[in-house]
């Protein structure tokens, strides 16, 4: 055997006396006897192996060879005696570094000979001089190696013929089946495969190896993924391993299409020494490393340690990565990507971790396993968790198990960061005797805190997600790490929070009384050091709040909330049984935190300064929220109002998500008692003065702003401005920016307090009945307080901060729409978009310093001069007003008093229209920031001025109770369109406010119905009688209020007596203004006056019609009520044409016609005639046909007087019916003749001239063409008539004749 080992055995060429290709043979001795002896020994060895295999197959030795032994025998030990390619040699081959290759030893170089010989003999693609020099060095390197001769002989074979024979053999095997023993490549073997290989020449050696390899590859393809182990003499004999490897490498290099390297690698896994062959094959083709690794991983098992094939595949890949360690992490990435071979990924990580130099940082093993279990890929998490669970199900874990190695390495890292090791079982030394109640750890080093936190999270993931069951040693070391005391740093706070949550999640780690005492001592240390940690580390969210929160959850038995808290802190979703928290609950509720201690401690916890969403973790606000939910404060009579108020003041953007739930639960604790037995057990609401402090800017000892001289001179401004939002005081507005108030409260605090007030009032109204039944009446905030809060301005500020405020803006809009609908008018939002849009920004760029210098006092002086008795130019007023239009809404607030107080002066004659329009524009801008106060000032300013009568100053409450006060203004407003627009805007707002006010009042006074219900007879079903009656009364009042407003507005649309005296015809208002002017007298002065009057009246009518349209759409019942009440028929053309929603009247006109009052029937038919012209719809046709039938029916029942009163105003409507719907012509003509006949019969005894009229009507009906032009004849219209007769029937007959002629003329002429 020594001859084989030292390479002194002569080659086959020497036996045959053949010449050596390159002359490198050393000649030698002929030891045939020794050679035969060695062959016999190998035959005996193989027979012994076959016998053992037979016994094992029969089951005799199945119980004697354990799984671990089989695995180590087949996988690891088979290649331990073989030499693999070193990383140095593989890198040299990759880079073709000839200098490095020359430094290799002969055994290392022997493994790379196939590739080197091919490089030396084959024609290179690189023809450069440098490669020529390198090639010479390679030839010089190969000149001293004997094995080169055999490789050269292998390369001289006809590979084309060999490939053809191989293809034929594959076809034959496919045809006859994989088990066929026939072969085209190799004829019948006379001896064993090893002896044949020994005695064969190079071509036959190639055929032998190729035939064996193809057989294995064919069996692999037919195995359907089931692993098998193929015994092959050729790949097992240690004597010919190197020669077989040479042949294998040459075959794959020369026949790549027949032998894909990935398929060859897959086949080598099924033979002995396959990993060694695979490494040599890849080393001689270094570019195929990634391809081979990916192929092996892709074809691998999902769980590699569960099968022999998986373990062999893992070992092979580990050998490859040891040969090329730079690509080990990339191969690990392929493992995770394919979710195959988890043991390989862990093994590669362990190999990489051993080579790391850093000990303080987080190891690669911790990062890798944490990434798998805590990553976002659920597939990877499930895959690796299955690996952990399956690994624990084996009866015994040996050191060869990858899972055991991983756990050992993690435990070593855990013990390495502890200052003192208590248990030393892992190093197999004697245990150290220690006191049970004394911790052996003085403290965790600062450089180890981050690594300790990472280890804790990893063990949480392993136990909670992957189901790892810790050993006693692991549990003990984990508990010692969790109860260690880190330094007061942000990382230390994080470590304590993780440790605490891990104790809650895995309470089984505490199993002995000594360990439980250690945990209690550590928890007590947490409570004691919490304030110090928070002050030293600078972290607002300390672990003290978490302790308090968990204690509250335990007291309220909210175990699911504790589980959610633990999972969110650990950053993973793990399964925690509520029953596992029973012991921790006892410790918290009985030994550490009683409920009274928790409540008293929570109030003393300082509020979080500048609380915002940027501050993460568990804060005092979470603790207070849970205590409020459990009603602990009211139960133990602890006041929490001051704490909540301070926390609301200490807020900033972005809004913390816990603030809104805190306010909601606080409001609920104010209104709802903790128990029915103690109805007074409620929290106290925030006082009005505290609320005013936020909006008025009172800080400490500073005086209230209302005491400043500006507030005394202009008190209304102090009620409408938000000083902290403006960024400057009233003094700063008037005197520049030199004097400013300290901004104490942020926009977030003011919006939160506004949300609190609105939510409180809404909840108070919603629970009014319940509170009345409990005989409780919580305090309601006064209307004066609400008047002083700039609600609209705050909403406008919140609109620009929607992203930072989260859901606060939408919540405020919902509360406003419910309780303050007059602040949510759609027109206001549209106007606000125009004011804050791009155009407004461009206009502000034109703002000069002159515009900023105009004070309200100067504006007041200019107004007094402009509208005094002395006639002056209005240029200066116009100039100041134009400059004011460039200011923002908040900057216009100081001018509100001056603008509104002088509105009455704008009603004087001679005021330019441009001034009126500018004032209207400024008023609309102010309406976006201070609508309620602005409306009150405007209503008071527009009151009629009566001498010797003191004007009444209305309040906001007065106007909400009686919105019609708005219309009791100066009569000149009705013909001033800019001011009328303002008046209508206020009227619409106060009508909406009145509805909300009455609804709130009805809920507030719900307790007044209780006595009346007790005094009732007590009949079943009458308990809700008073409630329904009050609701009906409220609805009736609102309907009367709305209809009165509509009737007043319609009356305004009629021309006054003065306008009628000037020749204004109400019927011409819908016509073109120019036509009206041309039809009037030719006097120029009269034309100008009438034009101006008609324009103003027409514009006012348009404004009123727009408002009525909105009211009808909002509540169609208003339209029905108004039309049932009726209004002057002169307005019908205006309302039908000017109000788009008038088509809804078609729904109730049949009901209106059916009314018994004759006036309502007449009004309905006149209204219908205009609607048919405006809306010629099928529905209108049906209603018109109904009206014609009703008129025919009434003809038979009405008396002479009523007949005349009914048909005289309704006959012209028949013309409109025919114009809109020609199919009604026959019915209408029959009706007219019938009416004429009835009239003729009544006057037959008195008048003889009526018969000719009836005769003419009959002729007209029979031959309408002959009478078509008679109505156009002036002599017919103005000719002699029986006008002297005052008989109603005669007049009605003449009216019928005129109607018929007009219908005929219209139908014939096609009008």
């Amino acid at each position: 055997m020594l001859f084989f080992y030292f390479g002194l055995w002569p080659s086959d060429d020497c036996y045959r006396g053949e010449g050596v290709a390159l002359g490198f043979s050393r000649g030698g001795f002929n030891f045939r006897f020794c050679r035969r002896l060695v062959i016999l020994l190998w035959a005996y060895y193989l027979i012994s192996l076959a016998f053992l295999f037979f016994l094992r197959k029969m089951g005799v030795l199945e119980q004697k060879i354990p799984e671990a032994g089989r695995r180590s025998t087949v996988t690891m030990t088979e290649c331990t005696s073989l030499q693999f390619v070193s990383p140095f040699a593989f890198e040299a081959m990759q880079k073709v570094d000839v200098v490095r290759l020359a430094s290799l030893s002969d055994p290392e170089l022997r493994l790379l000979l196939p590739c080197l010989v091919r490089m030396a003999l084959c024609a290179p693609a690189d023809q450069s001089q440098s490669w020529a020099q390198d090639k010479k060095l390679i030839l010089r390197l190969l000149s001293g190696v004997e094995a080169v001769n055999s490789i050269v002989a292998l390369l001289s074979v006809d590979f084309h013929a060999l490939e053809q024979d191989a293809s034929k053999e594959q076809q034959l095997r496919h045809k006859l089946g994989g088990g066929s023993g026939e072969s085209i490549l190799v004829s019948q073997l006379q001896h064993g495969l090893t002896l044949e290989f020994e005695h064969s020449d190079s071509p036959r050696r190639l055929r032998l190896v190729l035939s064996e390899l193809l057989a294995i590859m064919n069996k692999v393809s037919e195995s359907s993924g089931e692993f098998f182990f193929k015994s092959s003499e050729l790949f097992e004999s240690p004597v010919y391993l190197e020669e077989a490897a040479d042949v294998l490498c040459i075959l794959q290099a020369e026949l790549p299409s027949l032998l894909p390297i990935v398929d060859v690698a897959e086949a080598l896994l099924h033979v002995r020494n396959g990993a060694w062959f695979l490494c040599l094959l890849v080393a001689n083709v270094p570019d195929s490393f990634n391809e081979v690794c990916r192929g092996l991983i892709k074809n691998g098992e999902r769980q590699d340690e569960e099968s022999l094939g998986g373990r062999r595949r893992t070992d092979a890949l580990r050998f490859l990565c040891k040969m090329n360690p730079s690509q080990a992490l990339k191969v690990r990435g392929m493992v995770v990507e394919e979710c195959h071979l988890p043991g390989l990924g862990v093994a590669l990580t362990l190999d990489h971790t051993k080579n790391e130099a850093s000990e303080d940082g987080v190891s690669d093993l911790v990062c890798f396993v944490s990434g798998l279990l805590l990553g976002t890929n659920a597939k990877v998490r499930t895959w690796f968790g299955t690996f952990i669970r399956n690994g624990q199900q084996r009866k015994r874990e040996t050191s060869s198990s990858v899972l055991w190695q991983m756990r050992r390495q993690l435990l070593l890292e855990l013990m390495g960061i502890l200052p003192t090791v208590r248990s030393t079982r892992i190093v197999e030394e004697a245990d150290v005797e220690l006191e049970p109640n004394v911790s052996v750890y003085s403290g965790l080093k600062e450089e180890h805190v981050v690594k300790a936190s990472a280890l804790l999270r990893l063990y949480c993931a392993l136990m909670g997600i992957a189901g790892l069951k810790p050993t006693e040693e692991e549990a003990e070391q984990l508990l010692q790490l969790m109860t260690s005391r880190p330094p007061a740093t942000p990382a230390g706070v994080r470590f304590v929070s993780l440790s605490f949550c891990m104790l809650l999640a895995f309470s089984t780690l505490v199993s002995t009384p000594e360990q439980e005492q250690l945990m209690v001592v550590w928890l007590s240390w947490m409570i004691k050091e919490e304030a110090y940690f928070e002050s030293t580390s600078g972290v607002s969210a300390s672990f003290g709040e978490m302790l308090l929160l968990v204690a509250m959850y335990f007291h309220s038995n909210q175990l699911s909330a504790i589980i959610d808290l633990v999972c969110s802190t650990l950053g993973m979703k793990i399964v925690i049984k509520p029953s596992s928290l029973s012991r921790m609950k006892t410790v918290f509720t009985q030994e550490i935190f009683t409920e009274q201690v928790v409540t008293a401690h929570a109030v003393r916890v300082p509020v979080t300064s500048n609380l915002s969403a940027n501050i993460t973790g568990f804060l005092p606000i979470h603790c207070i929220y849970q205590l409020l939910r459990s009603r602990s404060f009211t139960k133990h009579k602890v006041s929490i109002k001051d704490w909540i108020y301070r926390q609301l003041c200490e807020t900033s953007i972005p809004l913390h998500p816990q603030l809104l739930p805190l306010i909601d639960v606080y409001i609920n604790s104010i209104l709802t008692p903790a128990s029915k037995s103690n109805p007074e057990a409620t929290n106290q609401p925030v006082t009005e003065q505290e609320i005013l402090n936020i909006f008025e800017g009172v800080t400490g000892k500073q005086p209230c702003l209302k005491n400043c001289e500006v507030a005394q001179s202009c008190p209304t401004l102090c009620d409408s401005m938000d000083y902290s939002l403006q960024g400057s005081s009233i003094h700063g507005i008037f005197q520049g920016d030199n004097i400013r108030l300290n901004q104490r409260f942020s926009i977030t605090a003011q919006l939160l307090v506004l949300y609190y007030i609105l939510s409180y009032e809404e909840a108070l109204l919603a629970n009014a009945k319940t509170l009345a039944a409990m005989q409780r009446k919580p305090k309601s905030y006064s209307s004066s307080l609400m008047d002083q809060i700039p609600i609209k301005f705050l909403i406008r500020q919140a609109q620009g901060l929607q992203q930072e405020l989260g859901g606060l803006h939408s919540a405020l809009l919902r509360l406003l729409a419910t309780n303050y609908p007059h602040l949510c008018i759609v027109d206001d939002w549209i106007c606000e978009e125009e004011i804050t849009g791009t155009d407004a920004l461009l206009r502000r760029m034109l703002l000069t310093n002159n515009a900023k210098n105009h004070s309200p006092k100067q504006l007041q002086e200019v107004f007094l001069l402009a509208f005094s008795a002395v006639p002056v130019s209005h240029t200066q007023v116009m100039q100041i007003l134009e400059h004011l239009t460039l200011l923002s809404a908040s900057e216009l607030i100081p001018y509100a008093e001056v603008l509104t107080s002088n509105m009455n002066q704008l009603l004087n004659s001679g005021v330019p229209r441009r001034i009126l329009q500018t004032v209207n524009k400024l008023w609309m801008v102010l309406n976006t920031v201070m609508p309620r106060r602005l409306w009150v000032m405007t209503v008071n300013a527009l009151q009629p001025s009566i001498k010797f009568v003191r004007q009444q100053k209305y309040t906001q409450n007065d106007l909400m109770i009686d919105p019609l006060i708005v219309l009791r203004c100066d009569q000149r407003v009705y013909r001033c369109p800019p001011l009328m627009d303002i008046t209508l805007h206020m009227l619409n707002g106060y009508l909406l406010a009145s509805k909300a006010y009455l609804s709130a009042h009805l809920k507030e006074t719900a307790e007044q119905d209780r006595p009346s219900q007790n005094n009732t007879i007590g009949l079943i079903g009458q308990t809700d009688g008073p409630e329904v009656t009050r609701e009906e009364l409220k609805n009736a009042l609102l309907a009367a209020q709305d209809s009165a407003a509509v009737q007043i507005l319609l009356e305004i649309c009629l021309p006054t007596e003065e306008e009628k005296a000037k020749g204004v015809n109400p019927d011409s208002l819908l016509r073109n203004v120019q036509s009206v002017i041309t039809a009037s007298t030719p006097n120029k002065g009269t034309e100008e006056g009438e034009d101006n009057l008609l324009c103003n009246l027409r514009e006012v009518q348009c404004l009123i019609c727009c408002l009525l349209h909105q009211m009808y759409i909002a509540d169609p019942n208003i339209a029905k009520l108004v039309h049932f009440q009726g209004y002057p028929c002169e307005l019908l053309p205006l309302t039908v044409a000017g109000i788009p929603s008038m088509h809804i009247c078609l729904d109730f006109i049949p009901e209106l016609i059916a009314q018994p009052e004759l006036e309502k029937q007449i009004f309905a038919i006149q209204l219908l005639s205009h609607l048919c012209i405006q809306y010629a719809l099928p529905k209108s046709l049906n209603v018109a046909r109904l009206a014609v039938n009703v008129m025919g029916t009434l003809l038979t029942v009405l008396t002479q007087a009523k007949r005349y009163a009914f048909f005289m105003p309704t006959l012209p409507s028949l013309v409109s019916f025919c114009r809109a719907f020609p199919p009604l012509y026959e019915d209408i003509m029959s009706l007219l003749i019938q009416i004429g006949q009835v009239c003729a019969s009544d006057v037959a005894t008195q008048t003889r001239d009526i018969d000719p009229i009836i005769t003419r009507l009959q002729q007209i009906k029979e031959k309408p063409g002959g009478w078509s032009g008679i109505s156009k004849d002036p002599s017919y219209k103005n000719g002699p008539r029986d006008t002297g007769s005052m008989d109603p029937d005669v007049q009605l007959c003449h009216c019928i004749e005129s109607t018929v002629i007009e219908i005929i003329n219209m139908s014939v002429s096609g009008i």
Side-chain angles (χ1 to χ4, degrees), residues 337-354:
E337 181 182 353
E338 298 292 339
C339 286
H340 289 170
L341 309 177
L344 174 62
V346 176
L348 294 178
T349 307
L350 289 171
D351 296 339
H352 181 69
T353 303
K354 293 177 183 178

Side-chain angles (χ1 to χ4, degrees), residues 607 609-610 642 645-652 690 692-702 705 722-728 740-750:
V607 300
S609 180
N610 292 326
D642 295 336
Y645 178 76
R646 292 196 304 269
Q647 184 62 82
L648 292 181
C649 296
E650 289 290 339
T651 53
S652 60
E690 289 174 333
L692 287 176
N693 290 344
I694 290 182
F695 293 104
E696 292 181 358
V698 177
T699 58
K701 298 182 180 180
Q702 291 181 357
L705 288 176
D722 182 5
Y723 305 105
S724 62
L725 290 176
Q726 300 305 319
S728 59
R740 292 179 178 270
L741 290 178
N742 295 326
Q743 181 173 346
R744 172 163 175 83
F745 301 109
S746 63
I747 177 65
T748 313
Q750 293 169 342

Side-chain angles (χ1 to χ4, degrees), residues 594-835:
T594 62
E595 187 175 10
Q596 189 171 3
V597 171
V598 170
T599 306
H601 179 74
V603 180
R604 295 193 298 269
V605 173
V607 300
T608 305
S609 180
N610 292 326
L611 176 64
S612 67
N614 295 328
I615 303 178
T616 58
F618 295 93
L619 306 168
I621 188 174
H622 295 93
C623 306
I624 300 299
Y625 172 74
Q626 292 301 327
L627 288 173
L628 281 172
R629 286 190 60 187
S630 61
R631 308 307 296 268
S632 299
F633 294 110
T634 54
K635 189 184 304 182
H636 298 284
K637 298 181 180 180
V638 178
S639 177
I640 194 60
K641 171 182 72 71
D642 295 336
W643 191 97
I644 293 179
Y645 178 76
R646 292 196 304 269
Q647 184 62 82
L648 292 181
C649 296
E650 289 290 339
T651 53
S652 60
I653 53 176
L655 187 71
H656 196 278
Q658 197 64 35
L659 284 168
L660 296 185
L662 176 71
I663 294 175
D664 294 336
V665 73
Y666 172 58
I667 293 173
N668 183 59
S669 68
I670 295 174
L671 301 178
T672 307
S675 61
K676 295 182 179 179
S677 59
N678 188 11
E680 299 299 327
T682 56
N683 286 313
Q684 297 298 319
V686 182
T687 63
E688 293 190 2
Q689 185 58 43
E690 289 174 333
I691 294 175
L692 287 176
N693 290 344
I694 290 182
F695 293 104
E696 292 181 358
V698 177
T699 58
K701 298 182 180 180
Q702 291 181 357
C704 177
L705 288 176
K706 289 187 176 183
N707 296 330
C708 66
E709 60 181 18
V710 178
Q712 294 175 359
S713 62
C714 188
T716 57
L717 296 181
C718 294
D719 293 337
S720 60
M721 291 187 62
D722 182 5
Y723 305 105
S724 62
L725 290 176
Q726 300 305 319
S728 59
S729 65
I730 298 296
H731 300 277
I733 294 176
F734 284 91
Q735 302 176 13
D737 294 334
N738 296 326
I739 302 176
R740 292 179 178 270
L741 290 178
N742 295 326
Q743 181 173 346
R744 172 163 175 83
F745 301 109
S746 63
I747 177 65
T748 313
Q750 293 169 342
L751 290 172
L752 287 173
V753 172
L754 176 61
Y755 174 79
Y756 160 75
I757 299 173
L758 297 178
S759 299
Y760 178 82
E761 292 296 327
E762 184 182 52
L764 185 61
L765 295 177
N767 298 319
K769 293 183 179 180
T770 305
L771 296 173
M774 299 173 59
Q775 296 182 355
R776 289 189 67 250
K777 189 175 182 180
K779 177 185 177 182
S780 176
Y781 292 109
S782 62
S783 58
S784 60
L785 172 67
M786 303 306 299
D787 293 341
Q788 297 183 59
I789 298 176
I791 298 177
K792 194 65 178 292
F793 186 84
L794 293 174
I795 294 297
R796 184 178 176 186
Q797 296 294 322
Q799 186 178 1
L801 300 171
Q802 293 187 43
Q803 294 183 352
E804 291 82 359
L805 295 177
L808 180 57
H809 179 256
S810 59
L812 288 173
L813 289 182
R814 179 187 62 81
L815 292 170
L816 277 186
T818 305
N819 303 298
Y820 292 89
H822 52 291
L823 298 183
C824 298
I825 302 176
V826 178
D827 291 342
D828 290 348
W829 297 117
I830 297 175
C831 179
E832 185 173 341
E833 292 294 334
E834 296 176 355
I835 293 172

